[in-house]
């Protein structure tokens, strides 16, 4: 709560003073410091200013100023140890504040305190910001080694020498302009949340580019510490810069760090605490010089901004003036809206007139627009500062030498595509071959557990629910955990090494010519893991047109939730030598369909010009085993959580619908077909007649609307009731079926030693499901309705149900047509 909310006669303890610049300094000088107790003397409903008593004397604050002071109730601790000295109530909060002030005056370390320090981490993409976040907090946040992955702030708590630091990892951004959503997001986070300290992470190998963001933070007049990251590589190359001189020129303390090894993190945290406590000698505010014409314009605009005390107390008027000179639409709209809300139309006109006059003078004087002139001045300041600090690059070890050598092959005009697809083939081949052994072990354990429950319990609904519902449903999905872990190990390695950015670069040449924005490939790559964060990652695309088109085609990217379905069906119907190729064909089908549909959307639905593809290609780095394992295990844990949550519940629901109404006199097949689920499946069976699906496949497709993993568990439940039948009726039926092909069954026997999967495969083939039908089924699963969570994410990102429902309907229609075509081609070939 804020101080303006405290009523007359009540007391509160100051937690934090928000606000900015001179206002904040004046408030603190008046005695409104952290830990100090304030008593409200008079705060009537229409009272303004409000009277307070702090540090033994009375002061008055405007209500708007009191709103910027965060307070808490003193609680019971306020009365403990209270003593009356010269008519003043002396509390433990006063003691803490006095000790804190005495320590600062003496230049020593501040005493331990419970007051948390809010710290925002900001930096360019690939600067190591998230590595610092993980190292300092012990959290497991992670982003891939390419820009645009982190799209939301991630928070965690760190502890250092008795202090609590609330860390916020903001999205990577190159600047604080308003051209992309993540730039606006970062800027608003800094302005609205007023962190105590900003840690600006700088990539030491790209100083000039990284310092551009630093100069913008300097303009905002925020307390800041710079982490000079990747310092080990900086020294290894033989680079040199006088950090003390650079600190003095920027007015910001700089700490050499290497977040990979943890070098410098402790010193960085210590400096953060010093800056938060105003105990750092280096930290001071400077003005980036922009030349006399721009500076005159800044002062001219500032004059009108300072007339508004509300704006002046919350923001640096110099920063607002610079942004207005840059014609920043967001800042200009905010300032205009604020002065209009204060019924100062003349003030608004004067402000805009001052901006336009200053811009015209800059254009007349320099021959360039004010935005370009400010940008040039920033880089001029950076260049001069680095020159004065003696910055020089070394030649001992060139980080980019290896990168350039690898790129000559991996990003080659002709070799890039074959190498990319070879890597995909190896990834899927390893997923099948290496994952088969642990899969067999888990499947054997699931099979043994089912047999034990069958033997230990009497026949009835409870045993059927446990064996066919819980064990059959969840077990049919959990067996694919090894393949999931192997797949994510490969993806993690490619992301952390820097190759995933090259994949986007390689694919852009194909996709951009067919109507898909090159930068859209990043969300598309993310969608192979999960469509939901991929939809959120579209915020990094500047063009709304490209952003919406990307969201519309993301569901065609095969998320990891579909992988268990692929492995189950492909393993049953295709030979060992065919499986990796079949799996690759599914992923490529999704990519091709995404390209085709994006072309249609771009030409027929959403016209207009697109923005160019600009993307950083970071240097190749060998990922640490710890980072790869952590990412892989985090995904594994998410998978296991689903097993105990939505998959378990869905499996039980599917079992209940397939079990009731139950008739003990009917055989299993007849009983299932007469169940609620069977009746519903038979009713919709004509819809999928062109594909050749039976009612069980139809029902499994519908169950996947909630989450795609449920498709595999539904198949497990429906076919487990036959596979686990008394006397192996399922096998007997399969053997006597006219549609069963003994040659096909012998091919299936090489899948694994698992008897339950063998039975399920026999039953599916006996029901007339051919490899062609199975492939058409996989095509439908690949392309149809994204899960509910993805639909909601699209709605949230577009702020419209129109696009969310469009994605749901058109993807299902495309899936139906593509799967019907695949089934027809398969029947014609066979």
């Amino acid at each position: 709560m804020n101080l303006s909310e405290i009523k007359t006669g009540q007391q509160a303890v100051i937690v934090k003073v928000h606000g900015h610049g001179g206002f904040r300094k004046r408030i603190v000088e008046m005695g409104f410091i952290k830990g100090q107790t304030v008593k409200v003397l008079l705060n009537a409903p229409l009272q303004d200013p409000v009277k307070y008593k702090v540090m033994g004397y009375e002061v008055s604050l405007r209500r708007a100023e009191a709103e910027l002071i965060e307070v808490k109730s003193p609680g019971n601790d306020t009365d403990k140890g209270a003593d009356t000295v010269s008519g003043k109530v002396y509390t433990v909060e006063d003691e803490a504040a006095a000790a804190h002030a005495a320590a600062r005056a003496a230049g020593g370390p501040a005493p331990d305190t419970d007051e948390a320090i809010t710290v925002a981490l900001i930096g360019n993409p690939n600067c190591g910001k998230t590595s610092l976040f993980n190292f300092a907090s012990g959290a497991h946040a992670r982003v891939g080694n390419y820009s645009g992955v982190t799209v939301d702030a991630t928070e965690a708590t760190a502890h250092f020498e008795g202090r609590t630091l609330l860390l916020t990892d903001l999205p990577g951004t190159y600047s604080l302009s308003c051209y992309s959503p993540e730039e606006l997001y970062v800027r608003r986070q800094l302005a609205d949340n007023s962190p105590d300290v900003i840690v600006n992470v700088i990539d030491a190998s790209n100083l000039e580019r990284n310092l551009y963001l630093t100069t913008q933070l300097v303009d905002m007049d925020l307390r800041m510490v710079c982490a000079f990251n990747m310092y080990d590589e900086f020294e290894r190359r033989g680079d040199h810069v006088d950090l003390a001189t650079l600190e003095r020129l920027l007015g910001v303390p700089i700490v050499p760090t290497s977040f990979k090894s943890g070098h410098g993190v402790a010193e960085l945290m210590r400096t953060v605490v010093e800056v938060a406590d105003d105990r750092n000698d280096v930290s001071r505010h400077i003005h980036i010089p922009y030349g006399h014409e721009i500076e005159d314009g800044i002062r001219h605009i500032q004059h009108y901004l300072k007339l508004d005390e509300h704006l002046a107390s919350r923001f640096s008027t110099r920063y607002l003036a610079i942004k207005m000179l840059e014609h920043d639409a967001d800042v200009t709209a905010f300032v205009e809206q604020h002065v209009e809300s204060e019924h100062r139309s003349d003030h608004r006109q004067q402000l805009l007139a001052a901006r336009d006059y200053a811009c015209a003078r800059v254009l007349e004087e320099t021959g360039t627009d004010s935005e370009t002139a400010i940008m040039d001045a920033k880089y001029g300041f950076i260049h001069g500062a680095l020159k004065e600090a003696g910055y020089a690059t070394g030649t001992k070890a060139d980080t980019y030498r290896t990168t350039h050598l690898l790129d000559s092959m991996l990003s080659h005009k002709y070799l890039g595509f074959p190498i990319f697809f070879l890597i995909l083939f190896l990834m899927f081949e390893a997923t099948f071959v290496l994952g088969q052994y642990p899969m067999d072990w888990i499947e054997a354990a699931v099979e043994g557990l089912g047999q034990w429950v069958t033997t230990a319990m009497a026949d009835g609904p409870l045993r059927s629910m446990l064996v066919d519902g819980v064990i059959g449903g969840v077990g049919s999905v959990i067996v694919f955990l090894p393949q999931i872990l192997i797949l994510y190990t490969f993806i993690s390695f490619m992301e952390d090494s820097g190759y995933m950015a090259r994949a986007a670069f390689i694919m852009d040449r194909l996709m951009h010519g067919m109507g898909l924005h090159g930068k859209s490939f990043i969300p598309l790559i993310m969608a192979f893991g999960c469509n939901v964060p991929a939809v959120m990652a579209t915020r990094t695309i500047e063009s709304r047109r490209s952003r919406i088109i990307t969201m519309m085609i993301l569901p065609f990217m095969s998320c990891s939730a579909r992988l268990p379905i692929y492995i189950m069906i492909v393993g049953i119907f295709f030979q060992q030598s065919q499986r990796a190729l079949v799996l690759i064909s599914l992923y490529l089908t999704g990519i091709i369909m995404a390209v085709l549909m994006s072309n249609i959307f771009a030409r027929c639905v959403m016209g207009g010009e697109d923005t160019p593809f600009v993307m950083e290609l970071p240097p190749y780095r060998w990922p640490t085993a710890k980072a790869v394992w952590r990412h892989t295990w985090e995904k594994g844990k998410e998978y296991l959580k689903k097993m105990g949550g939505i998959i378990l519940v869905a499996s039980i629901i599917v079992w209940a619908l397939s079990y009731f109404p139950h008739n003990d006199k009917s055989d299993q097949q007849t009983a299932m077909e007469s169940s609620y689920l069977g009746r519903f499946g038979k009713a919709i069976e004509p819809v999928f007649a062109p594909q050749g699906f039976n009612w069980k496949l139809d029902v499994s497709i519908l169950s996947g609307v909630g989450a795609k993993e449920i498709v595999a568990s539904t198949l497990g439940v429906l076919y487990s009731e036959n596979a686990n039948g008394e006397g192996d009726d399922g096998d007997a039926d399969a053997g006597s079926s006219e549609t069963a092909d003994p040659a096909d069954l012998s091919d299936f026997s090489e899948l694994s030693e698992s008897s339950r999967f063998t039975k399920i495969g026999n039953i599916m083939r006996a029901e007339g499901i051919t490899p062609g039908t199975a492939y058409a089924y996989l095509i439908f699963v690949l392309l149809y309705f994204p899960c509910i969570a993805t639909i909601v994410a699209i709605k949230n990102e577009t702020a419209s149900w129109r696009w969310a429902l469009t994605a749901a309907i058109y993807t299902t229609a495309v899936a139906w047509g593509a799967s019907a075509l695949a089934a027809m081609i398969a029947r014609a070939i066979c």
Side-chain angles (χ1 to χ4, degrees), residues 82-378:
D83 190 15
T84 302
V85 181
S86 302
K88 174 188 174 185
V89 177
Y90 195 79
T91 67
V92 292
E93 280 80 8
D94 296 310
E95 292 179 346
H100 194 76
R104 285 192 297 174
D112 289 352
T113 175
D114 291 333
E115 297 165 356
I117 301 172
T118 56
V119 181
L121 308 182
I122 182 172
N124 287 190
N126 306 305
C127 68
K129 178 171 49 64
T130 301
S131 298
L132 166 63
F133 180 81
N134 289 333
F135 195 96
S137 66
H140 299 305
R142 181 192 169 279
V143 295
N145 191 19
Y146 48 88
S147 63
V149 178
T150 307
V151 292
D152 271 324
T154 308
E155 298 179 345
T157 302
H159 300 280
F160 179 78
E161 295 183 354
R163 302 299 294 272
T164 299
L165 283 71
L166 303 179
L167 305 178
T168 302
D169 181 20
L170 296 174
T173 180
Y174 293 108
S175 73
L176 296 179
S177 303
C178 62
Y179 297 116
S180 67
E182 81 269 16
E183 291 176 344
L184 275 176
Y185 181 85
V186 171
R187 196 167 75 185
R188 289 171 180 172
Q189 285 285 315
L190 296 179
D192 297 342
N193 297 334
S194 300
D196 295 323
V197 181
I198 290 175
V199 173
N200 176 209
V201 182
I202 296 173
D203 180 358
S205 64
N206 292 286
L207 272 182
E208 194 164 3
R209 188 198 66 194
N210 277 242
L211 286 175
Y212 184 82
L213 176 61
T214 306
T215 61
Q216 292 185 315
L217 295 171
V218 168
D219 286 337
M220 294 186 77
D221 190 12
L222 300 168
R223 290 187 290 182
M224 179 167 52
V225 178
C226 286
F228 199 73
N229 196 32
M230 304 180 192
Y231 193 66
D232 52 346
E233 296 182 10
F234 183 84
E235 290 183 311
R236 190 163 55 248
R237 286 192 306 269
D239 294 356
H240 170 77
V241 68
D242 187 342
L243 291 182
T245 301
L246 197 58
E247 283 182 326
R248 175 176 56 82
L249 295 173
L250 293 173
V252 177
I254 301 175
V255 181
T257 59
S258 176
F259 300 146
K260 185 182 295 185
S261 63
H263 170 73
V265 173
E267 180 61 28
L268 178 66
M269 295 296 103
R270 187 174 293 107
T271 306
V272 167
V273 173
E274 289 178 356
V275 171
D277 294 340
D278 296 323
R279 293 186 290 111
N280 188 275
D281 296 333
V282 176
S283 183
R284 61 189 177 89
H285 179 53
I286 68 164
H287 286 174
I288 306 294
Y290 292 109
H292 72 277
E293 278 298 338
I294 296 176
E295 290 292 344
D296 286 345
I298 292 173
R299 285 191 292 270
H300 197 189
I301 296 173
Q302 272 187 288
H303 169 72
Y304 293 100
L305 291 172
K306 288 178 178 179
L307 294 177
D308 190 319
E309 294 182 356
H310 181 77
L311 281 175
S313 65
R314 289 178 178 268
F315 304 97
S316 164
T317 54
R318 179 177 174 85
Y319 167 73
L320 294 178
I322 292 170
K323 283 300 174 185
M324 291 190 69
L325 281 172
E326 291 178 334
H327 291 278
D328 187 289
D330 186 66
V331 168
T332 303
F334 170 78
V335 173
E336 288 188 60
Q337 182 181 8
H338 179 75
V339 295
E340 284 182 354
S341 67
E342 297 293 331
H343 308 290
R344 285 177 283 199
S345 58
D346 292 343
H347 184 189
R348 173 181 175 275
Q349 294 299 328
Q350 291 170 343
L351 185 61
L352 294 179
R355 189 272 312 273
D356 293 340
Y357 175 78
C359 290
R361 287 297 303 270
V362 170
L363 181 61
E364 179 183 347
E365 179 78 14
T366 65
T368 60
D369 61 272
S370 54
E371 182 179 8
T372 303
I374 290 173
M375 190 181 305
D376 291 342
K378 284 184 182 294

Side-chain angles (χ1 to χ4, degrees), residues 373-412:
I374 290 173
M375 190 181 305
D376 291 342
K378 284 184 182 294
Y379 275 114
F381 170 80
I382 293 169
H383 180 74
L386 290 176
K387 186 174 182 180
E388 187 170 343
Y391 175 63
T393 57
T395 58
K396 292 181 180 179
D398 185 2
T399 302
Y400 282 90
R401 184 178 302 167
T402 303
T403 294
H404 294 157
L405 179 62
L406 290 173
D407 271 343
S408 65
M409 297 179 292
L410 299 180
S411 301
H412 191 270

Side-chain angles (χ1 to χ4, degrees), residues 7 11 24 36 55 95 129 185 198 214 283 359 536 544 594 675 704:
K7 298 179 181 179
Q11 292 185 347
R24 188 176 184 277
Q36 189 61 254
M55 296 186 73
E95 292 179 346
K129 178 171 49 64
Y185 181 85
I198 290 175
T214 306
S283 183
C359 290
M536 297 172 67
R544 173 174 171 81
S675 67

Side-chain angles (χ1 to χ4, degrees), residues 530-824:
C530 180
N531 286 173
V532 175
V535 169
M536 297 172 67
T538 59
R539 298 175 189 174
T540 63
I541 304 172
E542 293 86 351
S543 166
R544 173 174 171 81
R545 167 184 175 274
S546 297
R547 199 156 59 243
I548 291 179
I549 292 176
T550 303
M551 278 187 266
M552 290 298 99
I553 64 173
L554 277 175
F556 294 139
M557 299 296 101
S558 186
C559 66
S560 60
R562 295 178 171 97
L563 187 60
I565 312 168
Y566 298 161
I567 295 175
M568 174 186 286
I569 300 300
V570 171
I572 287 174
F573 287 97
F574 297 93
Q575 299 179 18
Q576 179 69 42
S577 60
Q578 301 172 328
R579 291 170 192 162
L581 292 175
V582 171
L583 205 55
I584 286 180
S585 72
L586 292 172
Y587 281 80
L588 289 180
T589 299
I591 293 173
I592 293 171
M593 192 61 67
V595 171
L596 293 176
M597 293 309 302
S598 69
N599 203 15
I600 293 174
F601 273 105
R603 295 176 182 273
C604 305
V605 181
M606 301 188 71
E609 292 296 322
D610 207 347
T611 54
F613 174 53
V614 180
M615 183 177 176
E616 178 188 4
L617 296 179
Y620 287 104
R621 290 187 174 91
W622 190 264
T624 63
K626 182 179 179 181
V628 173
W629 166 246
R630 184 167 59 195
H631 174 221
T632 302
W633 177 236
E634 285 297 314
K635 293 300 180 181
K637 285 198 298 184
E638 291 177 12
Y639 190 72
L640 290 174
K641 286 179 181 178
K642 282 189 176 182
M643 298 307 100
I646 185 173
I647 305 301
L648 175 61
V649 174
S651 297
I652 293 175
I653 292 174
V654 170
W655 166 83
L657 293 175
S658 65
Y659 187 84
F660 296 106
H662 186 69
N663 186 349
D664 292 331
K665 296 181 179 179
S666 302
D667 60 61
Q668 288 182 340
Q669 187 67 23
T670 302
M672 188 178 296
E673 291 182 1
S674 62
S675 67
Y676 297 121
L677 197 63
R679 296 172 188 174
F680 179 72
K682 290 289 186 180
I684 64 172
E685 199 169 23
V687 175
F688 295 99
Q691 287 87 349
F693 301 164
N694 62 20
W695 69 268
K696 295 179 183 178
L697 297 182
D698 300 343
V699 167
S700 69
I701 286 173
L702 293 178
S703 68
V705 169
K708 292 299 179 282
E709 293 95 340
I710 302 177
V711 174
S713 67
T714 300
L715 291 174
V717 171
L718 295 178
Y719 284 101
S720 287
E721 295 192 10
N722 293 107
N724 293 325
E726 296 292 339
D728 289 338
D729 293 336
D731 282 339
D733 292 341
S736 60
S737 173
E738 295 180 0
T739 60
D741 185 346
D744 287 342
L745 295 180
S746 64
D747 289 341
F748 171 70
S749 64
E750 70 177 65
L751 169 63
S752 72
E753 300 298 327
S754 167
S755 60
R756 192 170 73 90
F757 264 5
T758 304
K759 292 177 181 178
I760 290 176
N762 290 342
I763 296 168
M764 295 181 75
R765 288 170 175 269
E767 291 177 347
I769 300 175
T770 65
T773 303
Y775 190 78
Y777 175 76
L778 292 177
I779 291 293
F780 193 94
V781 170
L782 164 71
L783 301 175
Y784 87 114
F785 187 99
C787 65
I788 293 294
T790 302
I791 294 297
V792 173
I794 293 175
K795 182 267 177 186
N796 292 338
E797 292 302 313
T798 60
S800 170
W801 278 109
R802 170 194 169 198
W803 291 112
L805 294 177
T806 298
I809 295 171
Y810 104 87
T811 54
T812 304
V814 168
W816 191 94
S819 60
L821 179 62
M824 291 172 57

Side-chain angles (χ1 to χ4, degrees), residues 23-95:
F23 162 79
R24 188 176 184 277
K25 182 179 180 181
R26 178 169 58 87
I27 289 293
V28 172
E29 288 174 346
M30 292 170 63
F32 291 86
I33 62 176
K34 291 189 292 185
Q36 189 61 254
T37 300
V38 181
K39 183 177 180 180
V40 183
L41 299 181
L42 181 60
N43 185 8
L46 299 178
Q47 179 76 25
D48 196 8
V50 184
K51 292 185 178 180
Y52 300 98
K53 186 173 184 179
V54 60
M55 296 186 73
Y57 61 93
E58 296 182 7
V59 296
S60 62
L61 289 180
R62 292 187 179 90
R63 190 173 295 275
E65 296 173 338
E67 289 176 353
L68 297 177
I69 302 177
E70 185 180 341
V71 297
K72 65 179 179 180
S73 175
N76 296 328
D77 292 338
T78 304
D79 297 326
K80 294 180 182 179
D83 190 15
T84 302
V85 181
S86 302
K88 174 188 174 185
V89 177
Y90 195 79
T91 67
V92 292
E93 280 80 8
D94 296 310
E95 292 179 346

